Amino acid sequence: MTENSALGVSVPRIDGYFKATGKAKYIADIFRPGMLYGKILFSPHAHAKILRIDTQKAEKLPGVKAVITSEDTPNKLYGLYIFDRLIFAREKVRHIGEPVAAVAATSEKIALEALKLIEVDYEDLPALYDPQTAIQPDAPILHPKIKEYNAIHPYIKYGNVCMDATIHRGNIEEGFANADLVVENTFCTKPMHQASLEPHGCLAEFDQYGKLTIWTATQQMSVCHSEVAKALNIPITQVKVIPATLGGGFGGKLKTLFEQICALLAEKSGLPVKLILTREEEFTVTHPRSEYFITMKTGVKKDGTIIARDVDIINDVGAYSDHAVGTMVHAITYAIGPYDIPNVRTRGRSVYTNNPDWGCMRGYGSLQTHFASESQLDIIASKLGIDPADLRLKNLCKEGTSFITTQTLEGVHIQQTMEAALEASGYREKKGKMGPNRGIGIANSMLNTGFLASSAAVRINEDGTASVLTGIVDIGTGTHTVLCQIAAEVFGIPVNRIGIAAPDSDSSPY
């Protein structure tokens, strides 16, 4: 770092002034000429056949400009990992809150009145709310055509299981046979909502050439871009996504939600349409973190050396797979934590139920298995009479350790990090000496530093300034400011001479 370096110094955030003064434009602040207001009719049933939908009364209500159902959409399955969903429920609904119809009107009040006029007849079907019940042989099958679903990977799919995956290394049976102590526990982590201050919202408009532009509150512009095109069955070049300032995401805004519906309303009405969820809808129909059931069996020697671990994980993906399948991949990958365990097997099953389709939140599946692993290490330490910190230090991975995926770990500094944390916290001095109802604990975690591909470009302008072209959305962490600092450092230009080009899917790289 040089004296004039742009890195390692405090600089004003490029979005700070606009957010502090209220000038930042969130999706609810964006308006288009002639804009209509969209509302969605959600299913009140967890599992039911759709016998009839009658929209005639809603269509005749003054101020209503468009009413759409599954009949107005491409009959094409789409999804993030597994293509298992449609834009609207067709023939049956699989969870409370599944979209059944939508309207666009000249006011939000009229749109809500129109929803009440849509008549839907249902026939209830048996519902499944527990993934452990859903995997039983006699459970009703929620997706009878599951084996026909396309996916980004040839997942093992059967019954209500949309993914069954196992990772292993070493000899698990031999490892347990040589263990002095074997401990087995089952842990459960419950669903958790991201509860962003800003609810989901989007605005859709078609231009005179038939190109769709979507303004949306999204964490991942490129994922939203491709999924909208796939769901609407149109070329990706016919879709332009513009991320609005984001009022919180935490994993809940990593993909599309109702952008496709908003686009279809705009297409049918011929006018721009904005759709913002209410707080009640936000809690009912979006994608919170999924529920996990983790059975963990670990074998150790008397000195605390971990020699075997077997992990069986079930997660509830809800009615459609969404991000919950991706979180399971991380869950089985990081089930051993940052420890060197020679004999290990981790199995994960993602299971359909009639719960709302779950998604992800902060940590993307690794936190659930870290919770189980770190909790069990405390149990093992107690049984062996070893300090929990010493048990962890003894088993930490090191430089060159072969991970469960066979990847060789590089740049490993967890031992130094853990020792520094112990010293800074006063762990040794405080443990057992803090009085009643007080204590100090320790836990380690591990997660990858990248997931999807990423790219950027820098354009040098004629006045000597530079513009960073990136599809990365600043989710409130100052990412755009950091990217400007990096560009300033590389080009030797002051940070205030670097700008972020307004991100959109037409001009920004993936």
Side-chain angles (χ1 to χ4, degrees):
M1 188 172 71
T2 65
E3 183 179 348
N4 297 319
S5 175
L7 298 179
V9 296
S10 178
V11 300
R13 281 181 48 161
I14 61 176
D15 58 345
Y17 168 79
F18 301 98
K19 289 180 176 178
T21 58
K23 296 179 183 292
K25 295 288 186 182
Y26 296 87
I27 188 64
D29 302 316
I30 300 174
F31 296 87
R32 300 295 294 161
M35 189 182 78
L36 303 175
Y37 296 84
K39 283 293 177 183
I40 300 172
L41 181 67
F42 298 106
S43 165
H45 300 270
H47 196 202
K49 288 182 181 179
I50 299 175
L51 303 178
R52 181 183 70 98
I53 302 178
D54 188 340
T55 62
Q56 293 184 66
K57 292 179 181 178
E59 291 166 350
K60 294 176 182 177
L61 184 68
V64 171
K65 301 300 180 181
V67 180
I68 57 175
T69 67
S70 64
E71 297 301 317
D72 303 284
T73 68
N75 188 22
K76 182 179 179 180
L77 294 170
Y78 71 98
L80 196 63
Y81 295 95
I82 300 172
F83 308 149
D84 59 0
R85 67 192 309 142
L86 296 166
I87 296 174
F88 286 107
R90 186 184 291 260
E91 297 179 356
K92 68 166 64 175
V93 294
R94 292 185 172 92
H95 70 91
I96 292 174
E98 183 166 4
V100 174
V103 302
T106 52
S107 73
E108 189 172 344
K109 182 179 179 180
I110 294 173
L112 289 170
E113 285 297 317
L115 290 186
K116 297 175 184 177
L117 297 176
I118 299 175
E119 299 175 2
V120 186
D121 294 336
Y122 297 97
E123 179 185 316
D124 280 327
L125 296 170
L128 297 169
Y129 301 106
D130 174 17
Q132 293 173 315
T133 301
I135 61 175
Q136 299 305 313
D138 59 346
I141 304 302
L142 303 185
H143 289 262
K145 297 182 179 180
I146 183 172
K147 291 186 178 181
E148 300 176 18
Y149 290 164
N150 291 321
I152 64 169
H153 182 81
Y155 299 119
I156 297 172
K157 306 187 292 288
Y158 56 88
N160 288 317
V161 177
C162 61
M163 185 189 73
D164 188 339
T166 301
I167 307 176
H168 62 87
R169 73 168 185 183
N171 189 319
I172 194 77
E173 290 78 15
E174 185 178 301
F176 282 118
N178 293 329
D180 297 318
L181 173 68
V182 176
V183 177
E184 182 173 344
N185 306 99
T186 296
F187 303 89
C188 177
T189 63
K190 292 296 183 181
M192 186 178 295
H193 201 281
Q194 302 88 355
S196 304
L197 286 179
E198 178 194 35
H200 283 73
C202 57
L203 193 162
E205 180 180 30
F206 284 85
D207 66 16
Q208 69 270 34
Y209 303 110
K211 183 165 183 173
L212 168 64
T213 297
I214 293 179
W215 293 261
T216 183
T218 181
Q219 291 177 246
Q220 282 188 322
M221 179 187 74
S222 296
V223 172
C224 179
H225 185 211
S226 61
E227 195 169 54
V228 166
K230 186 181 297 180
L232 295 177
N233 200 26
I234 58 177
I236 201 168
T237 54
Q238 286 298 106
V239 181
K240 178 180 179 179
V241 174
I242 303 175
T245 305
L246 193 68
F250 317 110
K253 296 174 183 173
L254 281 175
K255 59 184 295 294
T256 66
L257 191 65
F258 303 126
E259 285 85 350
Q260 297 90 334
I261 293 175
C262 202
L264 289 167
L265 287 170
E267 182 180 43
K268 188 165 185 177
S269 67
L271 293 168
V273 176
K274 181 158 69 174
L275 200 162
I276 306 289
L277 294 189
T278 65
R279 182 58 58 186
E280 181 179 357
E281 290 171 336
E282 185 75 14
F283 283 124
T284 306
V285 303
T286 59
H287 303 145
R289 176 186 282 163
S290 67
E291 184 174 32
Y292 269 75
F293 298 88
I294 304 161
T295 299
M296 184 171 288
K297 179 181 176 182
T298 302
V300 298
K301 303 294 283 186
K302 290 179 180 178
D303 65 355
T305 302
I306 305 173
I307 59 173
R309 174 169 287 177
D310 194 10
V311 188
D312 191 295
I313 310 169
I314 294 172
N315 79 327
D316 180 357
V317 305
Y320 302 97
S321 57
D322 199 63
H323 268 288
V325 167
T327 66
M328 176 58 83
V329 173
H330 277 200
I332 61 175
T333 303
Y334 297 104
I336 63 173
Y339 305 105
D340 187 5
I341 306 176
N343 306 292
V344 60
R345 176 175 60 201
T346 63
R347 181 190 186 191
R349 285 171 287 175
S350 293
V351 183
Y352 287 125
T353 67
N354 293 114
N355 291 318
D357 46 322
W358 305 117
C360 61
M361 174 184 171
R362 301 298 299 274
Y364 210 78
S366 66
L367 295 182
Q368 288 90 322
T369 46
H370 284 325
F371 163 72
S373 176
E374 294 298 308
S375 297
Q376 191 179 67
L377 287 179
D378 285 346
I379 294 170
I380 291 170
S382 176
K383 289 181 178 292
L384 293 176
I386 299 175
D387 187 282
D390 294 332
L391 177 64
R392 288 168 170 81
L393 286 167
K394 186 176 186 62
N395 292 284
L396 288 175
C397 56
K398 301 176 177 60
E399 184 74 16
T401 294
S402 178
F403 196 52
I404 186 174
T405 58
T406 73
Q407 176 185 359
T408 299
L409 300 180
E410 301 175 2
V412 179
H413 302 288
I414 188 165
Q415 182 162 350
Q416 299 95 306
T417 302
M418 185 175 168
E419 289 172 347
L422 290 171
E423 182 178 352
S425 65
Y427 173 87
R428 304 283 186 192
E429 296 77 20
K430 293 177 181 177
K431 186 170 174 60
K433 303 172 185 176
M434 300 179 68
N437 303 317
R438 292 178 64 83
I440 185 168
I442 187 167
N444 292 320
S445 66
M446 179 180 186
L447 186 61
N448 55 301
T449 55
F451 189 32
L452 300 176
S454 186
S455 53
V458 178
R459 183 182 67 227
I460 303 299
N461 302 311
E462 54 268 37
D463 64 350
T465 60
S467 300
V468 178
L469 286 81
T470 175
I472 295 172
V473 177
D474 193 327
I475 59 174
T477 54
T479 307
H480 284 176
T481 303
V482 172
L483 293 178
C484 288
Q485 288 180 273
I486 293 171
E489 179 77 9
V490 172
F491 289 102
I493 301 174
V495 176
N496 61 8
R497 301 279 288 171
I498 308 285
I500 297 290
D504 66 66
S505 59
D506 273 359
S507 59
S508 300
Y510 184 87

